[in-house]
Structures are given as C-alpha cells and as structure tokens.
C-alpha cells in the first residue's frame, strides 16, 4: 500500500508539471513537448490506477462476504 507521504509527493509533482505545461508548450520544441505531455499523462494514469487498486483492495471497516452461512 502506498503511504500518505508518497501520495503527497506524487500529487505535488503532477501539480508542478501541470503548472509548467503552458511554458513547455510555448517553447515550441515538438519532441520535448510530446515527451513532457506523455510523462504528465502517464503519471496521472498511474496515480488513478493506484488509487483505484487501493480503493478496491482496502477492506478496513467493511464487512466481508461469507459464502456458507450454514453451521
């Protein structure tokens, strides 16, 4: 499981990249801009997938299903 500090660092990195994206696009270096956007979108996708797996696998406080209720 990912610790809260890691989420803070990953979110901070994505926010900084989002803030710098207009500057990167204005530089008009196509290969660099494409790479920047690929890294940005990839990191957002990875964070979304990690969040989804953490949500689906976290069972703290939730009841578990029991298949056989007969004693």
């Amino acid at each position: 499981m990912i610790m809260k500090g890691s989420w803070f660092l990953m979110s901070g990195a994505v926010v900084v990249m989002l803030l710098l994206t207009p500057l990167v696009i204005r530089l008009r270096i196509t290969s660099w801009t494409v790479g920047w956007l690929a890294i940005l979108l990839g990191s957002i996708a990875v964070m979304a997938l990690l969040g989804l797996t953490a949500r689906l696998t976290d069972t703290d406080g939730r009841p578990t299903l029991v298949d056989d209720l007969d004693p």
Side-chain angles (χ1 to χ4, degrees):
M1 180 168 281
I2 294 180
M3 299 173 74
K4 290 183 181 182
S6 299
W7 278 108
F8 178 74
L9 289 175
M10 289 189 323
S11 300
V14 170
V15 167
V16 168
M17 285 187 77
L18 283 171
L19 291 175
L20 291 175
T21 298
L23 174 66
V24 171
I25 291 172
R26 261 188 266 137
L27 289 175
R28 296 181 189 225
I29 303 171
T30 305
S31 61
W32 209 79
T33 304
V34 170
W36 179 273
L37 293 176
I39 292 170
L40 177 62
L41 294 176
S43 62
I44 292 171
V46 167
M47 285 182 61
L49 288 174
L50 287 173
L52 180 65
T53 56
R55 182 182 174 111
L56 292 177
T57 58
D58 186 26
T59 58
D60 293 337
R62 285 193 261 162
T64 57
L65 295 176
V66 178
D67 290 334
D68 189 16
L69 295 177
D70 294 332

